[in-house]
Amino acid sequence: MTYYTLLIKYEDKWFIEFGDYDRQVVEEEAEEFSHRLEQKIITTSDSQREIDRVVNELNNITKG
């Protein structure tokens, strides 16, 4: 199932802030941060493993 996750960038690193199955709900949540912090919404399955993998890729983190 498609899942939308709001990421916020703190000190050059992306962190998960909020997620939902409804993109509009995530966009509304994102409005709180839009004037203060860099943000993006990613689209994945609802697997936490996949969400973490995408965040790690954005942060250039690889498992060794």
Side-chain angles (χ1 to χ4, degrees):
M1 192 164 193
T2 302
Y3 195 76
Y4 303 95
T5 305
L6 172 63
L7 305 180
I8 302 294
K9 197 169 197 179
Y10 296 105
E11 299 180 6
D12 296 325
K13 189 171 180 183
W14 291 102
F15 292 92
I16 297 169
E17 183 65 37
F18 180 79
D20 198 279
Y21 293 100
D22 185 330
R23 184 178 178 98
Q24 184 174 351
V25 171
V26 177
E27 288 174 352
E28 288 170 6
E29 187 73 19
E31 288 178 19
E32 278 187 48
F33 300 95
S34 63
H35 64 283
R36 294 180 291 163
L37 299 166
E38 186 175 352
Q39 60 182 311
K40 66 173 60 195
I41 296 173
I42 60 170
T43 305
T44 61
S45 73
D46 58 0
S47 162
Q48 187 64 50
R49 176 177 261 166
E50 183 178 353
I51 295 166
D52 291 341
R53 179 188 59 77
V54 172
V55 173
N56 287 339
E57 285 178 4
L58 290 169
N59 287 324
N60 296 315
I61 297 171
T62 57
K63 290 189 175 185

